[in-house]
């Protein structure tokens, strides 16, 4: 261990490995819940695939307790409240544009946001969970 936030791989004798490759893992600090652009990566445990023409599904939780973003087809918005790990999203709305692709995912994303009860951040990843702790959606911080 090099520090509380770093771990270095050693050889069998316990000596550092001499190499131009770094054998040190460094913990990524947790991203902030608010004012971070969170890009959707998984919805109900399934990886989200983006085509060249698809809009990125994402959310931003503003410091004014307003949610904004995109469901991959339409702009979305609403309000939210959080207290520790608890998180609730309310008054969710979206524009109603017709999209050539992504409509089903957009609808599932909206339903998932409406069912959020908790959140968890680990490094650059955000998980939104229901009341039972099931992961509804997973995001990655865009820096």
């Amino acid at each position: 261990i090099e520090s509380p936030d770093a771990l270095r791989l050693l050889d069998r004798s316990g000596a550092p490995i001499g190499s131009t490759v770094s054998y040190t893992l460094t913990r990524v600090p947790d991203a902030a819940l608010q004012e971070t652009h969170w890009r959707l990566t998984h919805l109900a445990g399934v990886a989200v695939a983006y085509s060249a023409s698809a809009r990125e599904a994402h959310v931003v939780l503003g410091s004014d307790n307003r949610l904004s973003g995109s469901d991959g087809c339409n702009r979305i918005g609403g309000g939210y409240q959080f207290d520790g790990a608890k998180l609730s999203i309310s008054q969710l709305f979206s524009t109603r544009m017709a999209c050539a692709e992504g409509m089903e995912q957009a609808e599932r994303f909206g339903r998932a946001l409406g069912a959020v009860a908790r959140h968890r951040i680990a490094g650059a990843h955000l998980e939104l969970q229901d009341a039972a702790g099931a992961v509804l959606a997973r995001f990655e911080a865009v820096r």
Side-chain angles (χ1 to χ4, degrees):
I1 297 178
E2 292 186 351
S3 76
D5 293 323
L7 182 66
R8 183 170 185 174
L9 180 67
L10 304 175
D11 68 15
R12 288 185 178 152
S13 68
I17 297 172
S19 174
T20 58
V21 174
S22 173
Y23 286 97
T24 301
L25 297 174
T26 304
R27 182 188 322 264
V28 175
D30 289 346
L33 176 65
Q34 295 179 305
E35 302 300 337
T36 298
H37 180 106
W38 292 106
R39 180 179 188 260
L40 181 67
T41 60
H42 292 80
L43 191 54
V46 178
V48 174
Y50 292 103
S51 68
S53 62
R55 291 176 75 184
E56 174 189 89
H58 70 279
V59 295
V60 176
L61 302 169
S63 58
D64 59 356
N65 286 52
R66 303 297 305 158
L67 175 146
S68 62
S70 171
D71 62 15
C73 178
N74 291 286
R75 302 286 307 152
I76 59 173
Y80 74 93
Q81 295 291 323
F82 76 100
D83 181 14
K86 293 181 182 179
L87 175 67
S88 62
I89 297 172
S90 60
Q91 300 174 333
L92 191 64
F93 66 86
S94 73
T95 57
R96 292 289 176 200
M97 298 185 296
C99 298
E101 58 183 87
M103 291 293 292
E104 180 184 332
Q105 175 183 291
E107 290 174 12
R108 289 192 341 249
F109 187 39
R111 285 193 302 274
L113 291 176
V116 170
R118 303 182 61 77
H119 78 283
R120 186 174 82 92
I121 296 175
H125 298 278
L126 167 67
E127 290 181 346
L128 298 182
Q129 303 169 349
D130 65 14
V135 177
L136 301 168
R138 183 173 166 95
F139 300 82
E140 183 174 56
V142 176
R143 300 181 194 255

